[in-house]
Amino acid sequence: MSSNTKSILEPPSAKGDDYPVKLSFLMPGNERIYPLCETKWSHDPRARTLFFVVMQSGSRTPRIVGFPDYREAEGKEEKE
């Protein structure tokens, strides 16, 4: 994937669970793959999770920022 791209992935599971994540990155003009993190992330089927990979000024390593986006299931109405 190159910069300024987006990707939408299918949920890793229909139930809430932790799943392994390995992220790496490439630097412009360099073929070497640099590991960024190896961890576990929690999956909550009630929400989608948005992640942004951004470069910080003065750093060669990208920063990952994520947050859950909870939404009511389609067909459910809010009670007043």
Side-chain angles (χ1 to χ4, degrees):
M1 234 184 244
S2 63
S3 63
N4 297 318
T5 62
K6 68 178 181 178
S7 180
I8 299 173
L9 305 175
E10 292 298 317
S13 169
K15 60 181 179 133
D17 206 358
D18 289 345
Y19 60 98
V21 173
K22 291 182 183 180
L23 298 174
S24 302
F25 68 100
L26 295 169
M27 292 176 37
N30 191 336
E31 300 272 330
R32 182 175 171 204
I33 297 174
Y34 295 90
L36 184 58
C37 74
E38 185 173 340
T39 186
K40 288 190 178 197
W41 286 349
S42 294
H43 169 65
D44 184 344
R46 300 169 300 161
R48 65 182 180 167
T49 304
L50 303 171
F51 285 96
F52 298 92
V53 180
V54 295
M55 292 304 296
Q56 286 186 262
S57 179
S59 176
R60 296 182 342 168
T61 306
R63 181 175 180 202
I64 302 168
V65 181
F67 59 91
D69 181 19
Y70 292 98
R71 302 204 175 188
E72 289 292 326
E74 286 185 33
K76 286 189 176 181
E77 294 181 21
E78 247 182 71
K79 294 182 181 180
E80 294 182 6

